[in-house]
Amino acid sequence: MQAHMNNLRSSVILGVAALLATVSGLSCYERPDSFQPITYGAKPWNPPAGWDPEPACATGYYVAINTCEGCKDISYALCTGTIFTQCVCGGPFWPGATCPQQFVCAADDFPPFNWVEFTDYAGPGWAGLSQLGDAGSP
Amino acid sequence: MFRNSLAILIAGSGFLVVSPAHAQSHDQVAPASAEQPAQDTTPPIDLPARQDLPPAPVNPSFVRPPFVLTAGGPSNWKLTIYGFAEADGMWDSTRSFNDGLNNGVIAHSLTQAYENPRLQTTIRNSRLGFKAQAPAFQGIRSTGLLEFDLFGNQPSINSGGGSPGVASGAGATTEAAYFNNAALRVRHAYVKIEDNIVDVLVGQTYYLLGWQNYFFGASCGFLGLPNALFNRTVQLRLSHTFEWNPVSLEIAAGAFRPVQRDSAVPDAQGGLRLAINHWKGITTPGSGGTDALPASVGVSGLFRQFKVDPHAPLPAPPIPLIGWALAFNVLIPVIPAKDGTDRGNALTLTGEFVTGTGDADQYTGMTAGATMPNVYPLPPDTNITYSGVARPQDTNGAAPLVGLPYTPNVDPGLVAFDGSEILHTINWQTFVLGIQYYLPPRGRVFATLNYSQGKSSNIASLFHPISPRQPWVNPLGVFQSSRYIDGNIFFDLTPAVRTGLSYQRVEQKLVDDTTVHNNRFELTFLYFL
């Protein structure tokens, strides 16, 4: 009887341990194929018709846009791999930051930290082609 | 009766059914040798110390009494010294490997290393261990164990044909220093506390996945064999064995060192192992530690998390991914034995099947050549040399990171970025089959065979040279599948001296669809303390 109780107790202990281990892992679980933001606040983005930056971009480059959902004024299309697939709203100034080419920036219009402007593109979708807010020519 | 007819036994798969009964009959003759305390099975096989003397050994000549130092009045404080001195010589048809094959990458067929052979001699697999046992205190038994070999961290060898993925340079050493001045490495270091309710192991020993080292095959080759689970790490493991004669069930779960410390959560492993206690087979995990173990089936699993910095300007949110693995293992005493000395005409099969993702570290030296980026993404139109070096760029904007060194925060071989900078775990599926036959009359000579196979379903797409802006991708040095076979003959010259001769062949399919192979002949000598 004592042995049976011991076995029962050990089963409970091990069961709880296994449960805790599983839960601790699952609590952080995200689907492997879920969206992977390339910077804080980045969202999926589909380019507008006629969007065709040349040459192919590289991760770390942005183009100033005004079509990122949920953003006001300047936002940024972000290159992942060789194409622009994500966007992010303009953020606050950080030391060393510069405004996108030809734009006038407000205090919350700056590109993400350490990203570089893709200066070769000024076609459809580029914020400089519109006159919204404080985006556009100086 | 049928122990004298190997052919009949091998041919009849139905023998698997009658074998337990056969073994049971032996146990009735020598019941004292049939039972092993549950506490002796964690790790599953005692590390290769000398076994305790069986009460009535079938072949006493195999018995090597343990080197035990005792202290205290009743001499119940014990220190067991164990290990072996080993000398190996191995000839390879290519210059791809050091002394252990493990899961290294074979040089591409277009290279000097592939076209020329290599001969190495080594004592690095020698081993020394200390096991301390204190007297039981209020029902609690405790053990401390330290074990070392000579595979300590050393620089790469900067001579010869070189190995793929290993650059020569200032951090390298000479062949002479590498083999003659072998450095100490810790294998096991743990404390084990046992009572009748639960066993607790804290420290470094084998992973639980695959119930290592219970199901290891026998080979002169240094474990882990290609495509076979084999590794150790720090862990906190809880286990208990339910003894229901004639079967026992061991259940274990634990928290293990996270595969990536930046994930900030431990790996979790758990498993069940069912043993048929009176149906024992002779098995040798590697080249030493021959013993009789019960027929057993094991299932075990691994669950872990990654949080990898994106291959993009930082700061950025780490990418969370899940890694997991599921392993099935079996040990079948086709021709069973009564105890660890009853080796003549004993035949044992071992098997392992594993499927998982982000689990390459569970295999020895397994990266398959899958490197992580070493530079930030390169600017458009970057000129890249043949060796993958980008010309520095002048870029607009503040603090550009493109082309600068990127330091991944995860070990190679586990995850990889695709051409769109999406991170994936690398999938692997492997299986291993092993046969061990101990020749009559006494089993001083035994022959073993191992076959293994491994395949990744996504590594070829992740490392195919599709983008000139991924200079870290070396499709000439990444394999997508691997096959391995070995054949070994061992001879126990004396109870303490064993020699072995081995042929080992590895064949790999690289991600550029080239198939390469390496043939190895190995001679080994061991003296067991």
Side-chain angles (χ1 to χ4, degrees):
Chain A
M1 187 62 181
Q2 182 62 38
H4 178 72
M5 288 304 295
N6 285 344
N7 285 347
L8 189 62
R9 286 173 59 195
S10 61
S11 300
V12 171
I13 291 171
L14 287 173
V16 170
L19 183 64
L20 288 175
T22 305
V23 169
S24 67
L26 288 175
S27 63
C28 304
Y29 178 78
E30 291 187 26
R31 289 177 57 198
D33 58 352
S34 61
F35 174 68
Q36 297 179 359
I38 205 78
T39 191
Y40 285 101
K43 298 170 276 192
W45 182 73
N46 291 315
W51 175 272
D52 188 24
E54 291 291 342
C57 62
T59 305
Y61 281 82
Y62 69 80
V63 167
I65 59 173
N66 50 31
T67 57
C68 187
E69 191 174 340
C71 302
K72 68 180 183 63
D73 303 330
I74 302 177
S75 53
Y76 300 93
L78 307 176
C79 184
T80 56
T82 57
I83 56 175
F84 292 87
T85 61
Q86 299 186 23
C87 70
V88 66
C89 301
F93 173 81
W94 43 270
T98 58
C99 293
Q101 193 174 32
Q102 301 177 10
F103 293 174
V104 173
C105 290
D108 58 355
D109 278 350
F110 288 91
F113 189 63
N114 280 329
W115 284 71
V116 179
E117 185 172 13
F118 190 86
T119 55
D120 295 339
Y121 182 67
W126 181 53
L129 294 181
S130 68
Q131 300 297 322
L132 299 176
D134 51 9
S137 302
Chain B
M1 175 177 66
F2 44 66
R3 285 172 62 96
N4 296 324
S5 178
L6 172 63
I8 294 174
L9 297 176
I10 294 177
S13 59
F15 177 74
L16 299 180
V17 178
V18 302
S19 291
H22 176 66
Q24 281 181 340
S25 67
H26 285 301
D27 289 335
Q28 289 166 1
V29 175
S33 64
E35 297 291 338
Q36 292 291 331
Q39 58 268 24
D40 286 345
T41 60
T42 305
I45 296 178
D46 277 342
L47 298 166
R50 297 184 177 189
Q51 301 300 308
D52 289 339
L53 187 67
V58 175
N59 291 311
S61 63
F62 282 120
V63 174
R64 289 179 286 112
F67 282 125
V68 179
L69 303 176
T70 59
S75 296
N76 50 9
W77 292 75
K78 296 180 182 176
L79 178 66
T80 305
I81 303 172
Y82 66 93
F84 51 83
E86 177 173 342
D88 298 271
M90 54 276 288
W91 179 93
D92 289 286
S93 61
T94 76
R95 297 173 176 174
S96 305
F97 300 101
N98 287 332
D99 40 12
L101 289 178
N102 305 129
N103 291 280
V105 183
I106 300 174
H108 196 280
S109 56
L110 301 175
T111 63
Q112 173 82 352
Y114 187 74
E115 296 294 336
N116 293 280
R118 171 176 281 178
L119 176 66
Q120 301 172 95
T121 57
T122 180
I123 48 81
R124 301 203 314 151
N125 200 38
S126 299
R127 202 167 298 176
L128 181 63
F130 305 92
K131 180 180 180 182
Q133 293 168 287
F137 179 76
Q138 295 181 344
I140 299 173
R141 301 177 298 278
S142 60
T143 304
L145 188 138
L146 282 172
E147 184 182 310
F148 306 92
D149 63 20
L150 298 174
F151 285 103
N153 289 326
Q154 291 190 161
S156 304
I157 296 175
N158 186 21
S159 61
S163 299
V166 179
S168 60
T173 188
T174 63
E175 291 183 36
Y178 187 83
F179 290 111
N180 296 346
N181 309 336
L184 207 63
R185 177 183 72 165
V186 64
R187 287 170 53 86
H188 302 272
Y190 61 77
V191 55
K192 187 167 63 174
I193 304 166
E194 304 160 286
D195 71 3
N196 295 330
I197 298 173
V198 65
D199 298 342
V200 181
L201 186 150
V202 186
Q204 175 165 306
T205 189
Y206 290 112
Y207 281 104
L208 178 55
L209 187 71
W211 283 100
Q212 302 173 48
N213 55 355
Y214 198 100
F215 299 97
F216 287 168
S219 175
C220 292
F222 296 169
L223 303 185
L225 299 179
N227 309 307
L229 294 173
F230 184 97
N231 252 330
R232 300 170 293 269
T233 199
V234 180
Q235 59 195 263
L236 167 60
R237 184 192 298 200
L238 305 180
S239 64
H240 182 80
T241 302
F242 299 91
E243 297 285 359
W244 304 308
N245 198 22
V247 300
S248 61
L249 177 69
E250 183 174 1
I251 179 172
F256 290 68
R257 178 187 65 81
V259 65
Q260 182 207 17
R261 60 184 178 177
D262 289 354
S263 73
V265 292
D267 289 6
Q269 296 194 8
L272 297 167
R273 186 173 63 84
L274 181 70
I276 304 173
N277 297 318
H278 303 301
W279 182 20
K280 291 184 176 179
I282 300 292
T283 185
T284 302
S287 54
T290 303
D291 199 3
L293 292 183
S296 194
V297 180
V299 59
S300 50
L302 154 70
F303 186 82
R304 62 173 38 151
Q305 186 176 26
F306 299 95
K307 285 186 178 173
V308 181
D309 288 343
H311 186 220
L314 303 178
I319 303 167
L321 287 180
I322 295 299
W324 59 269
L326 200 56
F328 302 92
N329 292 82
V330 63
L331 184 149
I332 303 173
V334 179
I335 306 178
K338 287 188 288 187
D339 63 30
T341 69
D342 182 21
R343 304 181 189 176
N345 194 30
L347 178 66
T348 303
L349 301 182
T350 54
E352 176 178 279
F353 171 79
V354 186
T355 185
T357 188
D359 62 335
D361 64 309
Q362 301 294 296
Y363 305 86
T364 311
M366 174 78 136
T367 67
T371 53
M372 289 288 282
N374 55 9
V375 295
Y376 275 98
L378 303 179
D381 294 332
T382 298
N383 292 324
I384 301 172
T385 67
Y386 179 76
S387 58
V389 177
R391 183 174 61 83
Q393 300 289 302
D394 294 327
T395 53
N396 296 327
L401 290 174
V402 286
L404 296 179
Y406 165 82
T407 304
N409 63 340
V410 62
D411 284 346
L414 298 160
V415 297
F417 291 102
D418 65 16
S420 300
E421 306 292 10
I422 304 298
L423 189 71
H424 304 264
T425 50
I426 298 175
N427 306 330
W428 285 102
Q429 199 169 81
T430 61
F431 74 85
V432 186
L433 293 174
I435 303 173
Q436 306 173 38
Y437 179 62
Y438 298 78
L439 274 65
R442 291 196 299 169
R444 288 178 65 190
V445 178
F446 61 101
T448 71
L449 183 74
N450 296 283
Y451 176 80
S452 72
Q453 201 167 301
K455 181 175 174 58
S456 173
S457 60
N458 64 350
I459 199 170
S461 62
L462 291 169
F463 285 86
H464 208 269
I466 56 172
S467 170
R469 287 201 208 96
Q470 292 179 292
W472 59 90
V473 172
N474 176 18
L476 304 184
V478 181
F479 69 78
Q480 56 182 308
S481 64
S482 168
R483 293 195 299 173
Y484 170 79
I485 189 166
D486 71 23
N488 311 272
I489 293 283
F490 291 94
F491 174 50
D492 288 343
L493 193 62
T494 76
V497 178
R498 173 172 289 173
T499 66
L501 179 64
S502 174
Y503 167 71
Q504 303 153 30
R505 178 184 173 90
V506 188
E507 187 176 290
Q508 294 170 351
K509 184 177 182 182
L510 306 179
V511 297
D512 69 348
D513 288 334
T514 302
T515 298
V516 292
H517 68 271
N518 181 83
N519 294 311
R520 166 172 285 193
F521 294 93
E522 182 173 346
L523 190 60
T524 185
F525 297 86
L526 299 109
Y527 183 92
F528 298 100
L529 297 178

mmCIF file of all heavy atoms in Angstrom, chain B residues 109-136:
data_model
loop_
_atom_site.group_PDB
_atom_site.id
_atom_site.type_symbol
_atom_site.label_atom_id
_atom_site.label_comp_id
_atom_site.label_asym_id
_atom_site.label_seq_id
_atom_site.Cartn_x
_atom_site.Cartn_y
_atom_site.Cartn_z
ATOM 1 N N SER B 109 33.577 17.550 -54.240
ATOM 2 C CA SER B 109 34.382 16.759 -55.176
ATOM 3 C C SER B 109 35.296 17.625 -56.028
ATOM 4 O O SER B 109 36.202 17.108 -56.681
ATOM 5 C CB SER B 109 33.458 15.928 -56.071
ATOM 6 O OG SER B 109 32.541 16.776 -56.743
ATOM 7 N N LEU B 110 35.081 18.921 -56.045
ATOM 8 C CA LEU B 110 35.930 19.800 -56.844
ATOM 9 C C LEU B 110 37.177 20.260 -56.094
ATOM 10 O O LEU B 110 37.953 21.047 -56.615
ATOM 11 C CB LEU B 110 35.130 21.049 -57.274
ATOM 12 C CG LEU B 110 33.876 20.797 -58.093
ATOM 13 C CD1 LEU B 110 33.127 22.096 -58.333
ATOM 14 C CD2 LEU B 110 34.230 20.142 -59.421
ATOM 15 N N THR B 111 37.362 19.745 -54.885
ATOM 16 C CA THR B 111 38.430 20.294 -54.047
ATOM 17 C C THR B 111 39.621 19.347 -53.931
ATOM 18 O O THR B 111 39.500 18.133 -54.129
ATOM 19 C CB THR B 111 37.908 20.587 -52.632
ATOM 20 O OG1 THR B 111 37.491 19.350 -52.039
ATOM 21 C CG2 THR B 111 36.735 21.552 -52.666
ATOM 22 N N GLN B 112 40.739 19.921 -53.564
ATOM 23 C CA GLN B 112 41.948 19.156 -53.275
ATOM 24 C C GLN B 112 41.702 18.188 -52.127
ATOM 25 O O GLN B 112 42.199 17.054 -52.124
ATOM 26 C CB GLN B 112 43.081 20.133 -52.907
ATOM 27 C CG GLN B 112 44.364 19.498 -52.423
ATOM 28 C CD GLN B 112 45.242 19.017 -53.566
ATOM 29 O OE1 GLN B 112 44.817 19.033 -54.720
ATOM 30 N NE2 GLN B 112 46.451 18.600 -53.258
ATOM 31 N N ALA B 113 40.916 18.627 -51.140
ATOM 32 C CA ALA B 113 40.672 17.796 -49.960
ATOM 33 C C ALA B 113 39.920 16.520 -50.325
ATOM 34 O O ALA B 113 40.090 15.484 -49.677
ATOM 35 C CB ALA B 113 39.879 18.592 -48.923
ATOM 36 N N TYR B 114 39.094 16.573 -51.357
ATOM 37 C CA TYR B 114 38.310 15.396 -51.724
ATOM 38 C C TYR B 114 39.144 14.370 -52.477
ATOM 39 O O TYR B 114 38.870 13.179 -52.422
ATOM 40 C CB TYR B 114 37.120 15.808 -52.589
ATOM 41 C CG TYR B 114 36.157 14.667 -52.863
ATOM 42 C CD1 TYR B 114 35.305 14.207 -51.869
ATOM 43 C CD2 TYR B 114 36.118 14.049 -54.110
ATOM 44 C CE1 TYR B 114 34.429 13.166 -52.100
ATOM 45 C CE2 TYR B 114 35.239 13.001 -54.360
ATOM 46 C CZ TYR B 114 34.395 12.562 -53.351
ATOM 47 O OH TYR B 114 33.532 11.529 -53.580
ATOM 48 N N GLU B 115 40.159 14.853 -53.149
ATOM 49 C CA GLU B 115 40.916 13.985 -54.051
ATOM 50 C C GLU B 115 42.061 13.249 -53.365
ATOM 51 O O GLU B 115 42.731 12.438 -53.992
ATOM 52 C CB GLU B 115 41.478 14.810 -55.222
ATOM 53 C CG GLU B 115 40.400 15.410 -56.120
ATOM 54 C CD GLU B 115 39.610 14.343 -56.864
ATOM 55 O OE1 GLU B 115 40.151 13.235 -57.044
ATOM 56 O OE2 GLU B 115 38.450 14.602 -57.226
ATOM 57 N N ASN B 116 42.307 13.557 -52.095
ATOM 58 C CA ASN B 116 43.499 13.010 -51.446
ATOM 59 C C ASN B 116 43.171 12.433 -50.072
ATOM 60 O O ASN B 116 42.290 12.935 -49.374
ATOM 61 C CB ASN B 116 44.559 14.103 -51.316
ATOM 62 C CG ASN B 116 45.096 14.525 -52.673
ATOM 63 O OD1 ASN B 116 45.951 13.847 -53.244
ATOM 64 N ND2 ASN B 116 44.579 15.629 -53.190
ATOM 65 N N PRO B 117 43.926 11.413 -49.661
ATOM 66 C CA PRO B 117 43.620 10.724 -48.404
ATOM 67 C C PRO B 117 44.254 11.397 -47.187
ATOM 68 O O PRO B 117 45.014 12.367 -47.306
ATOM 69 C CB PRO B 117 44.217 9.337 -48.625
ATOM 70 C CG PRO B 117 45.394 9.592 -49.515
ATOM 71 C CD PRO B 117 45.002 10.731 -50.411
ATOM 72 N N ARG B 118 43.950 10.842 -46.019
ATOM 73 C CA ARG B 118 44.466 11.382 -44.755
ATOM 74 C C ARG B 118 44.630 10.232 -43.774
ATOM 75 O O ARG B 118 43.803 9.314 -43.741
ATOM 76 C CB ARG B 118 43.478 12.421 -44.226
ATOM 77 C CG ARG B 118 43.765 12.912 -42.827
ATOM 78 C CD ARG B 118 42.795 14.021 -42.415
ATOM 79 N NE ARG B 118 43.182 15.300 -43.010
ATOM 80 C CZ ARG B 118 42.490 16.423 -42.855
ATOM 81 N NH1 ARG B 118 41.371 16.411 -42.149
ATOM 82 N NH2 ARG B 118 42.893 17.554 -43.402
ATOM 83 N N LEU B 119 45.696 10.289 -42.968
ATOM 84 C CA LEU B 119 45.934 9.294 -41.914
ATOM 85 C C LEU B 119 46.132 10.024 -40.593
ATOM 86 O O LEU B 119 46.950 10.941 -40.511
ATOM 87 C CB LEU B 119 47.166 8.449 -42.245
ATOM 88 C CG LEU B 119 47.589 7.439 -41.176
ATOM 89 C CD1 LEU B 119 46.541 6.347 -41.013
ATOM 90 C CD2 LEU B 119 48.956 6.831 -41.504
ATOM 91 N N GLN B 120 45.407 9.606 -39.579
ATOM 92 C CA GLN B 120 45.507 10.255 -38.274
ATOM 93 C C GLN B 120 45.648 9.201 -37.176
ATOM 94 O O GLN B 120 45.094 8.095 -37.294
ATOM 95 C CB GLN B 120 44.250 11.098 -38.000
ATOM 96 C CG GLN B 120 43.999 12.178 -39.027
ATOM 97 C CD GLN B 120 42.658 12.865 -38.824
ATOM 98 O OE1 GLN B 120 42.568 13.894 -38.189
ATOM 99 N NE2 GLN B 120 41.617 12.287 -39.377
ATOM 100 N N THR B 121 46.358 9.559 -36.129
ATOM 101 C CA THR B 121 46.424 8.718 -34.937
ATOM 102 C C THR B 121 46.088 9.602 -33.745
ATOM 103 O O THR B 121 46.461 10.781 -33.705
ATOM 104 C CB THR B 121 47.824 8.101 -34.755
ATOM 105 O OG1 THR B 121 48.789 9.149 -34.684
ATOM 106 C CG2 THR B 121 48.160 7.164 -35.900
ATOM 107 N N THR B 122 45.393 9.040 -32.779
ATOM 108 C CA THR B 122 44.892 9.882 -31.698
ATOM 109 C C THR B 122 44.653 9.078 -30.427
ATOM 110 O O THR B 122 44.330 7.888 -30.488
ATOM 111 C CB THR B 122 43.580 10.572 -32.131
ATOM 112 O OG1 THR B 122 43.113 11.398 -31.067
ATOM 113 C CG2 THR B 122 42.513 9.551 -32.461
ATOM 114 N N ILE B 123 44.804 9.750 -29.309
ATOM 115 C CA ILE B 123 44.437 9.163 -28.014
ATOM 116 C C ILE B 123 43.326 9.983 -27.363
ATOM 117 O O ILE B 123 43.032 9.846 -26.188
ATOM 118 C CB ILE B 123 45.649 9.092 -27.071
ATOM 119 C CG1 ILE B 123 46.417 10.426 -27.027
ATOM 120 C CG2 ILE B 123 46.585 7.992 -27.531
ATOM 121 C CD1 ILE B 123 45.854 11.468 -26.157
ATOM 122 N N ARG B 124 42.721 10.878 -28.162
ATOM 123 C CA ARG B 124 41.804 11.864 -27.575
ATOM 124 C C ARG B 124 40.527 11.243 -27.020
ATOM 125 O O ARG B 124 39.803 11.873 -26.265
ATOM 126 C CB ARG B 124 41.460 12.929 -28.618
ATOM 127 C CG ARG B 124 42.707 13.669 -29.127
ATOM 128 C CD ARG B 124 42.397 15.022 -29.693
ATOM 129 N NE ARG B 124 41.272 15.049 -30.587
ATOM 130 C CZ ARG B 124 40.491 16.109 -30.752
ATOM 131 N NH1 ARG B 124 40.701 17.201 -30.076
ATOM 132 N NH2 ARG B 124 39.497 16.065 -31.618
ATOM 133 N N ASN B 125 40.234 10.008 -27.419
ATOM 134 C CA ASN B 125 39.011 9.383 -26.906
ATOM 135 C C ASN B 125 39.230 8.673 -25.564
ATOM 136 O O ASN B 125 38.335 8.000 -25.060
ATOM 137 C CB ASN B 125 38.450 8.399 -27.930
ATOM 138 C CG ASN B 125 36.980 8.103 -27.698
ATOM 139 O OD1 ASN B 125 36.218 8.996 -27.331
ATOM 140 N ND2 ASN B 125 36.569 6.851 -27.890
ATOM 141 N N SER B 126 40.431 8.792 -25.004
ATOM 142 C CA SER B 126 40.677 8.201 -23.683
ATOM 143 C C SER B 126 39.813 8.899 -22.637
ATOM 144 O O SER B 126 39.393 10.044 -22.825
ATOM 145 C CB SER B 126 42.157 8.336 -23.322
ATOM 146 O OG SER B 126 42.955 7.648 -24.251
ATOM 147 N N ARG B 127 39.601 8.221 -21.522
ATOM 148 C CA ARG B 127 38.567 8.715 -20.601
ATOM 149 C C ARG B 127 38.954 8.413 -19.153
ATOM 150 O O ARG B 127 39.578 7.386 -18.876
ATOM 151 C CB ARG B 127 37.244 8.028 -20.931
ATOM 152 C CG ARG B 127 36.019 8.760 -20.463
ATOM 153 C CD ARG B 127 34.815 8.159 -21.131
ATOM 154 N NE ARG B 127 34.865 8.293 -22.600
ATOM 155 C CZ ARG B 127 33.970 7.773 -23.411
ATOM 156 N NH1 ARG B 127 32.971 7.077 -22.935
ATOM 157 N NH2 ARG B 127 34.075 7.955 -24.719
ATOM 158 N N LEU B 128 38.552 9.306 -18.261
ATOM 159 C CA LEU B 128 38.803 9.110 -16.838
ATOM 160 C C LEU B 128 37.605 9.634 -16.059
ATOM 161 O O LEU B 128 37.133 10.746 -16.308
ATOM 162 C CB LEU B 128 40.076 9.852 -16.404
ATOM 163 C CG LEU B 128 40.469 9.704 -14.937
ATOM 164 C CD1 LEU B 128 40.791 8.249 -14.602
ATOM 165 C CD2 LEU B 128 41.677 10.603 -14.630
ATOM 166 N N GLY B 129 37.132 8.817 -15.129
ATOM 167 C CA GLY B 129 35.952 9.223 -14.374
ATOM 168 C C GLY B 129 36.063 8.899 -12.904
ATOM 169 O O GLY B 129 36.790 7.976 -12.492
ATOM 170 N N PHE B 130 35.337 9.665 -12.109
ATOM 171 C CA PHE B 130 35.281 9.469 -10.663
ATOM 172 C C PHE B 130 33.813 9.497 -10.241
ATOM 173 O O PHE B 130 33.084 10.433 -10.568
ATOM 174 C CB PHE B 130 36.029 10.584 -9.929
ATOM 175 C CG PHE B 130 37.452 10.759 -10.385
ATOM 176 C CD1 PHE B 130 37.760 11.656 -11.398
ATOM 177 C CD2 PHE B 130 38.475 10.028 -9.808
ATOM 178 C CE1 PHE B 130 39.062 11.823 -11.827
ATOM 179 C CE2 PHE B 130 39.785 10.185 -10.228
ATOM 180 C CZ PHE B 130 40.075 11.079 -11.240
ATOM 181 N N LYS B 131 33.430 8.484 -9.514
ATOM 182 C CA LYS B 131 32.047 8.404 -9.052
ATOM 183 C C LYS B 131 32.060 8.249 -7.529
ATOM 184 O O LYS B 131 32.631 7.284 -6.999
ATOM 185 C CB LYS B 131 31.349 7.211 -9.697
ATOM 186 C CG LYS B 131 29.901 7.029 -9.284
ATOM 187 C CD LYS B 131 29.323 5.796 -9.993
ATOM 188 C CE LYS B 131 27.875 5.559 -9.608
ATOM 189 N NZ LYS B 131 27.338 4.347 -10.266
ATOM 190 N N ALA B 132 31.473 9.211 -6.857
ATOM 191 C CA ALA B 132 31.450 9.192 -5.396
ATOM 192 C C ALA B 132 30.048 8.845 -4.914
ATOM 193 O O ALA B 132 29.054 9.348 -5.450
ATOM 194 C CB ALA B 132 31.863 10.553 -4.851
ATOM 195 N N GLN B 133 29.992 7.969 -3.917
ATOM 196 C CA GLN B 133 28.703 7.572 -3.358
ATOM 197 C C GLN B 133 28.775 7.675 -1.833
ATOM 198 O O GLN B 133 29.642 7.068 -1.197
ATOM 199 C CB GLN B 133 28.365 6.138 -3.758
ATOM 200 C CG GLN B 133 28.105 5.973 -5.250
ATOM 201 C CD GLN B 133 28.057 4.523 -5.657
ATOM 202 O OE1 GLN B 133 29.076 3.848 -5.711
ATOM 203 N NE2 GLN B 133 26.866 4.035 -5.945
ATOM 204 N N ALA B 134 27.862 8.453 -1.304
ATOM 205 C CA ALA B 134 27.793 8.603 0.149
ATOM 206 C C ALA B 134 26.762 7.632 0.697
ATOM 207 O O ALA B 134 25.849 7.205 -0.019
ATOM 208 C CB ALA B 134 27.408 10.036 0.493
ATOM 209 N N PRO B 135 26.873 7.277 1.964
ATOM 210 C CA PRO B 135 25.863 6.401 2.547
ATOM 211 C C PRO B 135 24.491 7.065 2.551
ATOM 212 O O PRO B 135 24.391 8.295 2.584
ATOM 213 C CB PRO B 135 26.359 6.171 3.974
ATOM 214 C CG PRO B 135 27.559 7.015 4.161
ATOM 215 C CD PRO B 135 27.947 7.628 2.883
ATOM 216 N N ALA B 136 23.466 6.246 2.475
ATOM 217 C CA ALA B 136 22.107 6.784 2.474
ATOM 218 C C ALA B 136 21.865 7.579 3.752
ATOM 219 O O ALA B 136 22.314 7.200 4.840
ATOM 220 C CB ALA B 136 21.097 5.651 2.344
#
